[in-house]
Amino acid sequence: MMRSVSKGLAGLVVSIGLLASASALALGLDPAFPEPALGPGKAKGVVVWSHGRSITTEDSKSPTPAYLQELREDGWDVMRFNRLSRGDTLTDSTRRLVDYTASLKKRGYKQVVLAGQSFGAFLSLMAADASPQVDAVVATAPAAYGSFDEFYDSWRLNATKLYPLIEQVQRARVMVFYFHGDNFDPGGRGDRSREILTERGLGFTVVDQPAYLTTHWAASSGLFLRRFGDCIRDFANEEDLKGEMVCAPRWGTMPSADLKLPPDMFEPRAPRAALSAVTTSGSGALPQGGKASVGFRDVWYGFYPNGREVLLGIEATQGDQLTAVYSIGPSIDSKHDAIWSRRKGRITDDGFVFQEPGKSTLQFRPRQDGGLSAVWISADGKTSMTGALKPIDPGVLIDQHAEASPPITTAAAHGDSQESKH
């Protein structure tokens, strides 16, 4: 991901997201997605997203963050406010954004929601200060005064200049996200923002240090879409919101119905035999007299940064050899379906390794909390992903199947042939 190297009021840069937007060659107000806009008469409203700012790159060409597709699919038109880095100042760009807001309202859009990342988040809040026509703001990692490492002298202004903006918003609902490990965040902004917005009596949401999402660019990830896309959509639709709307994302806490598993695992099975020896000593030997059973012995669940769920279920062990089911959920762009495969691997001194010709390599290492650190490496070795999995009760999967009994497609039931490609 890219970093900002701007000076003075120079802002920040939005990282490369997972969904590519339409080519942003023009400057001004441009479509965020290639699909035709619904127009003022049919759309719920319009969302205008403002990118960050960098000296070394032109962020007008940066991809649109993945979470905005949730609003597009919900019936909103989505636009981008594209600016060249040269001349992109807080004052001038805010004035243009206010003018665009007035023009969109004049065209007949019922609601105008300003969304922005970093420098763009500052612009969105400043426009909401300047214009009563802004209905809502979604600000992710707001910052316009540099990072701790590069601009220590001005870095704290990312907080002290932010609070007056929130205090002066005319009427817009305000949703703001602050992320752990953000080198542009002086800290403490979540609590102070919540105090200010509570006193103002505006509708608001403050998401401070959400689990699993880190760094300044977290809002560009597929994981952010999975965890907060629904809440952002609901916030935009809540025109009469008063007080605080709390986001409590459930995605990622337990396997969703999108995950596919082999149908035979739901057959009656013997009592579970835990692989305690594996996670403590690295030995894969079954307890004395142990027998392989139908179903999972141990299960770990988590997700990758691209927003795909992942589940590893150990089925049987013999010596240092083991068999497991590896399941990954659908991609956020719906191009890749949920799929599972049975994998053969071995137990090493520090975890599990699954390495077979023509398939992706899977590496899992135990963590102190009982979970696993996961590394996925493509079959050609050119790409990789890392994730963290936590242990879950295999019985939960049986219960979910009994309640939902989702259909298993042909592709999902024969997952081994496609898993290595995704």
Side-chain angles (χ1 to χ4, degrees), residues 172-411:
R173 309 184 300 281
V174 175
M175 180 181 233
V176 61
F177 290 85
Y178 304 114
F179 300 109
H180 185 70
D182 182 352
N183 200 31
F184 298 89
D185 191 341
R189 299 196 297 176
D191 290 340
R192 182 61 185 135
S193 298
R194 187 175 286 107
E195 291 175 2
I196 294 171
L197 291 167
T198 299
E199 293 173 359
R200 292 289 315 280
L202 299 172
F204 74 93
T205 293
V206 174
V207 180
D208 189 24
Q209 314 284 308
Y212 313 120
L213 289 158
T214 60
T215 77
H216 185 64
W217 303 277
S220 296
S221 68
L223 179 55
F224 182 80
L225 163 64
R226 292 291 201 202
R227 289 188 60 77
F228 290 102
D230 288 352
C231 191
I232 294 173
R233 177 202 63 205
D234 294 344
F235 180 84
N237 289 330
E238 195 68 37
E239 297 183 51
D240 299 322
L241 178 65
K242 301 296 181 184
E244 184 174 12
M245 171 187 282
V246 177
C247 285
R250 297 179 59 186
W251 189 93
T253 59
M254 292 297 290
S256 74
D258 290 333
L259 273 178
K260 304 299 182 185
L261 296 168
D264 58 11
M265 71 152 287
F266 299 109
E267 298 173 3
R269 60 193 178 94
R272 175 173 176 260
L275 291 178
S276 57
V278 175
T279 56
T280 57
S281 66
S283 171
L286 285 172
Q288 185 67 31
K291 296 181 180 180
S293 61
V294 176
F296 293 141
R297 299 172 178 277
D298 288 83
V299 178
W300 291 267
Y301 166 77
F303 39 77
Y304 291 124
N306 62 2
R308 298 189 75 170
E309 293 176 278
V310 56
L311 181 143
L312 177 71
I314 304 297
E315 291 188 301
T317 63
Q318 185 174 8
D320 65 353
Q321 303 299 305
L322 73 162
T323 59
V325 167
Y326 175 70
S327 176
I328 51 177
S331 61
I332 60 173
D333 57 9
S334 300
K335 291 183 179 179
H336 303 305
D337 295 331
I339 205 164
W340 66 268
S341 60
R342 275 198 165 90
R343 301 296 302 266
K344 295 181 179 180
R346 57 189 174 86
I347 301 168
T348 65
D349 290 338
D350 60 351
F352 316 137
V353 176
F354 299 87
Q355 193 169 22
E356 302 171 74
K359 294 185 178 182
S360 58
T361 296
L362 310 174
Q363 301 173 348
F364 300 94
R365 291 183 173 85
R367 296 160 24 127
Q368 291 184 347
D369 61 1
L372 296 176
S373 296
V375 178
W376 172 91
I377 304 173
S378 63
D380 60 11
K382 295 181 179 180
T383 58
S384 64
M385 291 187 297
T386 60
L389 282 62
K390 64 180 181 179
I392 62 172
D393 183 354
V396 171
L397 303 175
I398 303 296
D399 294 340
Q400 286 184 342
H401 175 75
E403 293 176 2
S405 297
I408 296 182
T409 64
T410 301

Side-chain angles (χ1 to χ4, degrees), residues 5 33 42 74 107 122 176 301:
V5 292
F33 297 101
K42 295 182 178 180
D74 191 51
R107 287 177 55 191
F122 255 76
V176 61
Y301 166 77

Side-chain angles (χ1 to χ4, degrees), residues 132-150:
Q133 294 183 300
V134 178
D135 296 288
V137 171
V138 178
T140 59
Y145 298 89
S147 67
F148 175 86
D149 291 337
E150 296 173 341

